[in-house]
Amino acid sequence: MTTIVSTTPFPDQKPGTSGLRKKVAVFRTPHYVENFIQSIFDSLDGFAGKTLVVGGDGRFYNRETIQTVLRMAAANGFGRTIVGKGGILSTPAASNVIRQYGAFGGIILSASHNPGGPDGDFGIKYNTGNGGPAPEKITDAIFARSKTLTQYKTLTTADIDLDRIGATMLGPMSVEIIDPVADYSRLMQSLFDFDRIGAMIRSGFTMRFDAMSAVTGPYGHAIFEDLLGAPKGSVLNGVPLPDFGHHHPDPNLVHCRHLYDLAMGPRSPDFLAASDGDGDRNLIM
């Protein structure tokens, strides 16, 4: 059953092309997340019964916010949501899922290369049906709505199990938990010659890819090690952690100094790379 919750506007919910980014403490303010999500939904037309993609970079407060988004999506009339297992979807992978499944749009929870953890940053952004960030026309409408919002819609339900692949119902809405890596891996295989790259690796080409304890770890393990045959250990910091293992997931020569030192050392791999918190910024050496 839909619950209508009274609220008051927040004056600081102006999103940019990268969404709304604030400290975690701000997002944990009562009604803050709900107000912004409702402002997104109120700024869209024609999504009744349609599909919404939801995922994030695994940072602190990711899982809790996904549960909020799912309840509100159901209460506002979406017919289906697609969620990456564990709440994980890199930004490029989320874009692919939106387009591949013909979704109306997607909500991505990320603050990109900003630090994570309870004292770190958090972010929410809306991507349209073409997989790209919402244009200024939509972000302006979201901000305008956020300044006049007096209520939001949600459901009172138990949490969805984000770690079990499969479909379940949340009120009137279907929630489908998917492998966050599988569709993206297939996309990469359609774009690049995995046979030739794999043969190069088997012939002795060496590499290291640092996921910085952020979202691209599972993608790195699946693509570089499992599909292309790079030796285990080629992917560094490959488990997404809520605080990124105290790393600052910005792939530059300050925060990836260890890769630079490895590149300049006597046993340098042929190729070194790192990616940021949500997987759309890269360092390549």
Side-chain angles (χ1 to χ4, degrees), residues 245-283:
H246 302 294
H247 296 137
H248 186 152
D250 189 354
N252 58 42
L253 294 180
V254 174
H255 301 298
C256 290
R257 178 73 192 192
H258 57 290
L259 286 186
Y260 174 83
D261 292 340
L262 184 59
M264 296 297 107
R267 297 182 180 179
S268 170
D270 299 303
F271 175 88
L272 301 100
S275 62
D276 75 334
D278 66 330
D280 61 4
R281 176 184 294 197
N282 302 284
L283 168 70

Side-chain angles (χ1 to χ4, degrees), residues 88-285:
I88 293 292
L89 275 176
S90 75
T91 292
S95 175
N96 176 58
V97 170
I98 291 169
R99 289 178 281 112
Q100 179 176 327
Y101 290 86
F104 184 88
I107 289 180
I108 302 173
L109 308 176
S110 172
S112 189
H113 55 280
N114 294 11
D119 299 319
D121 296 334
F122 193 74
I124 302 175
K125 63 181 175 180
Y126 177 72
N127 279 25
T128 59
N130 67 3
E136 189 173 351
K137 177 182 178 181
I138 293 179
T139 57
D140 285 348
I142 292 169
F143 182 45
R145 180 58 179 147
S146 75
K147 293 187 289 185
T148 62
L149 195 73
T150 59
Q151 63 183 29
Y152 60 83
K153 300 176 185 177
T154 189
L155 300 183
T156 303
T157 63
D159 285 352
I160 291 289
D161 184 354
L162 299 178
D163 297 309
R164 183 172 61 85
I165 290 177
T168 188
M169 296 300 295
L170 183 65
M173 183 183 73
S174 170
V175 179
E176 183 177 347
I177 308 298
I178 64 168
D179 181 334
V181 176
D183 291 317
Y184 188 75
S185 294
R186 284 190 287 269
L187 174 65
M188 292 300 102
Q189 290 175 81
S190 75
L191 297 174
F192 301 99
D193 192 331
F194 273 41
D195 290 337
R196 292 181 65 188
I197 298 172
M200 180 178 68
I201 289 174
R202 289 191 298 274
S203 71
F205 182 88
T206 56
M207 63 166 290
R208 295 290 186 276
F209 169 71
D210 191 346
M212 305 193 81
S213 300
V215 76
T216 57
Y219 299 86
H221 285 303
I223 293 172
F224 294 128
E225 296 179 346
D226 297 342
L227 291 174
L228 293 174
K232 299 296 183 183
S234 297
V235 174
L236 310 176
N237 299 308
V239 177
L241 300 173
D243 63 354
F244 305 127
H246 302 294
H247 296 137
H248 186 152
D250 189 354
N252 58 42
L253 294 180
V254 174
H255 301 298
C256 290
R257 178 73 192 192
H258 57 290
L259 286 186
Y260 174 83
D261 292 340
L262 184 59
M264 296 297 107
R267 297 182 180 179
S268 170
D270 299 303
F271 175 88
L272 301 100
S275 62
D276 75 334
D278 66 330
D280 61 4
R281 176 184 294 197
N282 302 284
L283 168 70
I284 298 172
M285 291 185 282

